[in-house]
């Protein structure tokens, strides 16, 4: 009974330092586990004579109840403590909207380029490609540029650095996709009917000129090709791209590699020429989209094609300008700044 009294005296205090569930289980086992102090005393009950056994049994039960009660109190204390800790933490606001993954899509210039290619492919054109770095012979000489032409000036064209002591043609960043005309005619006998899209480079920089921009070249060479074929092709193209309302017009112009040469204008897709204050066409009713013409006989000859037998037309359209018309973009640099807010607004 003395041992039991001592236990009863210690039970409450034994649970006080408990801070965790494992500690709780250990203290509980100290009293009521298989080798616990109360359990061991209980095992000795049979040693007692009958009447004493009963009194001792009652005392043991009282101590057991005390241990259980202390355990319950301790559990409650641990739960409250854990909850208080939880509430004290930085709150998790489950009502905040989740972060949506951003959905990517084609850049307006790529969309424009693909649509232009599709329009020509539907008319039967093949797609050809040329390198962005090329020789000045392909970019200028074979296209009939005289050696002193201002376009070949360092101020207009990005030349690649020559290795020391190098002679022969210089390499440059092509200034137009007309290089592909040369490459195509040198590698394929007529008939030729291709478009060649890609990036080109010039020392240009203003609201409608970018140092890097995209063009698409067209070249058709065969027997009996006439200016009327060029006109019909570009008219069909403009209507496919901008709708039935749009027509094209040709203005006389000059390129060393075409004769006659023309500038191609598309009628304004916005006002159709009816609004003198239209911000797209500035009231003229027309927008310049590219250059074109009949391939110069000298160019055919330079590229191994017999000009007595074959004729051809060529055109070069500015993809950026077409995109500016389609999306009504006032400043070409917006297409290259990759401001997602602007791109998403198109
Ligand atoms: C040429 O580049 C000729 N190679 C086009 C050509 C091809 C004529 C075949 C005849 C036969 P031009 O320099 O005008 O021509 O450029 C053609 C188009 O490219 C322009 O109408 C314009 O739409 C676009 N362009 C020219 N420079 C820039 C620039 N810096 N930034 C954006 N677009 C430009």
């Amino acid at each position: 009974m003395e041992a039991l009294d001592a236990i009863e005296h210690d039970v409450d205090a034994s649970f006080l330092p408990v801070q965790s569930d494992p500690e709780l289980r250990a203290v509980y086992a100290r009293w009521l586990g298989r080798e616990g102090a109360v359990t061991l005393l209980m095992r000795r009950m049979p040693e007692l004579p009958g009447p004493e056994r009963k009194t001792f049994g009652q005392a043991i039960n009282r101590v057991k109840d005390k241990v259980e009660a202390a355990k319950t109190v301790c559990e409650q204390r641990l739960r409250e403590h854990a909850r208080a800790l939880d509430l004290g933490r930085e709150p998790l606001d489950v009502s905040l909207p989740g972060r949506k993954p951003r959905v990517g899509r084609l850049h307006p210039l790529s969309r424009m380029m693909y649509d232009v290619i599709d329009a020509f492919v539907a008319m039967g054109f093949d797609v050809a490609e040329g390198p962005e770095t090329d020789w000045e012979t392909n970019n200028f000489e074979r296209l009939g540029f005289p050696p002193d032409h201002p376009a070949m000036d360092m101020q207009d064209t990005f030349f690649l650095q020559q290795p020391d002591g190098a002679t022969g043609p210089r390499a440059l960043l092509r200034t137009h996709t007309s290089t592909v005309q040369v490459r195509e005619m040198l590698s394929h006998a007529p008939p030729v009917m291709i478009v060649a899209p890609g990036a080109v480079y010039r020392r240009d920089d203003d609201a409608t000129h970018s140092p890097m921009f995209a063009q698409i070249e067209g070249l058709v060479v065969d027997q009996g090709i006439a200016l009327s074929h060029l006109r019909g092709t570009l008219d069909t193209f403009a209507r496919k791209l901008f709708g039935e309302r749009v027509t094209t017009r040709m203005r006389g112009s000059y390129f060393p590699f075409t004769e006659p040469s023309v500038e191609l204008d598309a009628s304004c897709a916005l006002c159709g020429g009816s609004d003198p204050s239209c911000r797209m066409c500035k009231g003229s009713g027309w927008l310049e989209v590219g250059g074109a013409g009949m391939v110069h006989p000298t160019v055919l000859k330079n590229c191994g094609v017999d000009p007595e037998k074959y004729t051809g037309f060529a055109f070069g359209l500015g993809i950026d300008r077409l995109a500016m018309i389609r999306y009504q973009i006032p400043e070409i640099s917006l297409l290259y700044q990759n401001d997602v807010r602007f791109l998403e607004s198109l």
Side-chain angles (χ1 to χ4, degrees):
M1 283 299 277
E2 264 169 37
L4 205 55
D5 285 347
I7 290 171
E8 190 171 8
H9 179 260
D10 288 348
V11 165
D12 283 337
S14 72
F15 282 94
L16 286 181
V18 166
Q19 296 292 346
S20 67
D21 285 341
E23 282 173 36
L24 174 71
R25 281 194 294 277
V27 172
Y28 180 77
R30 198 169 121 203
W31 307 125
L32 282 174
R34 260 167 23 95
E35 300 297 320
V38 182
T39 315
L40 292 179
L41 285 178
M42 230 156 39
R43 282 206 201 116
R44 292 182 59 194
M45 271 201 349
E47 294 168 21
L48 294 171
E52 280 179 36
R53 200 186 303 162
K54 190 173 169 217
T55 329
F56 191 67
Q58 285 168 346
I60 287 259
N61 280 341
R62 204 180 55 243
V63 175
K64 269 169 80 177
D65 288 348
K66 186 159 188 184
V67 173
E68 294 294 347
K71 178 184 171 229
T72 306
V73 169
C74 184
E75 275 170 349
Q76 177 76 12
R77 173 169 64 76
L78 289 183
R79 258 202 310 276
E80 275 167 13
H81 183 64
R83 179 153 172 73
L85 268 185
D86 221 25
L87 290 175
R89 270 198 205 103
E90 208 176 317
L92 171 68
D93 184 352
V94 290
S95 69
L96 267 181
R99 282 195 200 120
K100 281 198 196 141
R102 290 190 102 130
V103 179
R105 58 184 171 145
L106 287 175
H107 189 278
L109 281 177
S110 302
R111 271 187 271 162
M112 193 73 236
M113 183 66 101
Y114 289 136
D115 288 351
V116 171
I117 293 171
D118 283 351
F120 285 114
V121 166
M123 285 189 256
F125 282 79
D126 283 333
V127 179
E129 269 184 309
E132 289 176 28
T133 56
D134 210 328
W135 303 109
E136 62 181 330
T137 38
N138 288 344
N139 197 89
F140 294 124
E141 267 169 40
R142 289 197 172 100
L143 289 168
F145 283 79
D148 56 349
H149 192 283
M152 294 163 76
D153 200 288
M154 301 288 268
Q155 301 312 312
D156 283 312
T157 298
F158 296 106
F159 286 92
L160 273 69
Q161 206 161 22
Q162 297 258 90
D164 282 345
T167 53
R170 289 179 294 174
L172 45 72
L173 294 178
R174 65 179 178 186
T175 62
H176 50 183
T177 43
S178 299
T179 49
V180 190
Q181 284 189 40
V182 175
R183 289 174 163 273
E184 205 51 31
M185 284 190 279
L186 286 173
S187 60
H188 294 86
V192 168
M193 189 170 174
I194 54 111
V195 284
V200 301
Y201 304 83
R202 291 182 196 178
R203 287 199 145 172
D204 274 348
D205 204 0
D206 64 31
T208 53
H209 293 81
S210 156
M212 187 193 89
F213 60 103
Q215 284 188 340
I216 187 163
E217 193 78 7
L219 175 68
V220 175
V221 181
D222 203 349
Q223 291 179 355
I225 297 294
L227 193 67
S228 52
H229 293 123
L230 170 64
R231 176 122 181 79
T233 303
L234 292 176
D235 230 18
T236 308
F237 159 75
R239 276 205 303 274
K240 264 185 197 295
L241 209 70
F242 295 120
E244 289 298 320
R245 285 193 321 134
V246 172
T247 53
T248 57
R249 79 170 180 189
M250 289 172 171
R251 276 181 292 122
S253 183
Y254 173 76
F255 296 101
F257 39 95
T258 45
E259 182 58 38
S261 300
V262 296
E263 297 286 351
L264 178 76
D265 295 341
S267 64
C268 179
L270 197 63
C271 77
S274 64
D275 178 4
S277 59
C278 176
R279 62 201 158 97
M280 286 267 288
C281 65
K282 314 222 161 39
S284 76
W286 299 96
L287 299 146
E288 183 195 313
V289 289
M294 297 305 291
V295 182
H296 198 292
T298 308
V299 174
L300 292 175
K301 219 182 304 170
N302 288 346
C303 300
V305 176
D306 180 0
E308 297 297 328
K309 193 168 168 197
Y310 293 104
T311 50
F313 70 73
F315 56 83
L317 310 175
I319 297 293
D320 305 63
R321 295 282 173 79
L322 293 172
M324 289 170 81
I325 293 172
R326 177 190 263 185
Y327 299 111
Q328 297 169 25
I329 300 166
E331 177 78 39
I332 195 167
S333 59
L334 287 166
L335 286 167
Y336 293 96
Q337 285 164 354
N338 282 335
D339 183 334
V340 176
R341 290 164 305 178
F342 164 71
L343 295 173
E344 279 177 345
S345 74
L346 296 180

